[in-house]
């Protein structure tokens, strides 16, 4: 009796299931690395921009010249970025109030020469660089790159 009952036809067979299997869809390259790209853009681009800005500002000289006077002080300063900072007292007339010229030195050898000549009249050769983005290169925009003692 059970054999007499007609079975409804199946909607699919095992062969149908095998042909429908596909490879799982892979994420596109952009979607897979989107987080890394965002981090790169947020961190690397500003650092690159700041580096480019510093290179341009330090590469072009706004003005250059010499200042004559007496070195009052020179010291290495900074928490993370050390730079040599100094002051030159310039007086036109003895006894007059001196004008203070603040400067930075990037070369340690030049800083040692200036330090050795402290208290003596010297001529400092400098270059002025405007727009340097950070104080890691010096606290002033005047960078001394040479010193010579003046004979009295």
């Amino acid at each position: 009796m059970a054999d007499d009952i007609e079975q409804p036809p199946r909607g699919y067979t095992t062969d149908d299931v095998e042909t429908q299997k596909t490879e799982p869809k892979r994420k596109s390259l952009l979607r897979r690395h989107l987080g890394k790209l965002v981090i790169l853009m947020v961190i690397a681009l500003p650092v690159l921009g700041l580096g480019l800005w510093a290179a341009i500002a330090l590469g072009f000289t706004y003005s250059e010249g010499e200042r004559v006077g007496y070195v009052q002080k020179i010291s290495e300063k900074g928490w993370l970025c050390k730079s040599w900072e100094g002051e030159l007292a310039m007086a036109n007339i003895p006894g007059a109030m001196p004008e203070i010229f603040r400067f930075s030195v990037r070369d340690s050898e030049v800083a040692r020469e200036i330090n050795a000549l402290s208290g003596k009249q010297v001529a400092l050769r400098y270059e002025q660089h405007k727009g340097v983005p950070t104080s890691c290169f010096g606290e002033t925009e005047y960078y001394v790159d040479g010193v010579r003692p003046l004979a009295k």
Side-chain angles (χ1 to χ4, degrees), residues 1-135:
M1 236 199 204
D3 293 333
D4 293 344
I5 300 176
E6 190 175 317
Q7 296 288 326
R10 286 184 154 182
Y12 59 89
T13 65
T14 308
D15 292 334
D16 293 336
V17 172
E18 291 296 324
T19 58
Q20 289 182 1
K21 283 187 179 177
T22 59
E23 292 290 320
K25 288 187 177 180
R26 297 183 118 185
K27 290 183 179 179
S28 70
L29 186 66
L30 180 63
R31 284 191 82 192
R32 218 175 338 154
H33 298 291
L34 186 62
K36 295 174 193 170
L37 289 173
V38 168
I39 289 172
L40 180 73
M41 292 169 94
V42 168
I43 294 172
L45 286 180
V47 169
L48 182 66
L50 191 66
L52 184 62
W53 179 11
I56 290 170
L58 291 170
F60 293 104
T61 302
Y62 179 74
S63 72
E64 56 185 83
E66 272 191 357
R67 299 275 176 118
V68 176
Y70 296 90
V71 176
Q72 280 191 224
K73 75 172 192 173
I74 185 162
S75 60
E76 193 173 23
K77 295 170 78 176
W79 293 103
L80 185 61
C81 302
K82 298 284 188 184
S83 65
W84 289 92
E85 305 298 325
E87 292 180 354
L88 183 75
M90 301 181 304
N92 295 345
I93 304 169
M97 185 68 133
E99 180 183 342
I100 302 298
F101 173 66
R102 288 176 174 72
F103 60 90
S104 300
V105 182
R106 293 174 58 196
D107 185 3
S108 293
E109 187 60 38
V110 174
R112 279 190 219 101
E113 290 177 32
I114 294 171
N115 201 19
L117 295 170
S118 288
K120 298 177 181 161
Q121 192 174 25
V122 296
L124 298 179
R125 188 193 173 299
Y126 70 90
E127 291 182 346
Q128 183 180 8
H129 297 276
K130 289 198 168 272
V132 178
T134 176
S135 65

Side-chain angles (χ1 to χ4, degrees), residues 132-146:
V132 178
T134 176
S135 65
C136 275
F137 302 103
E139 293 180 0
T140 69
E141 58 187 33
Y142 299 100
Y143 296 94
V144 171
D145 58 8

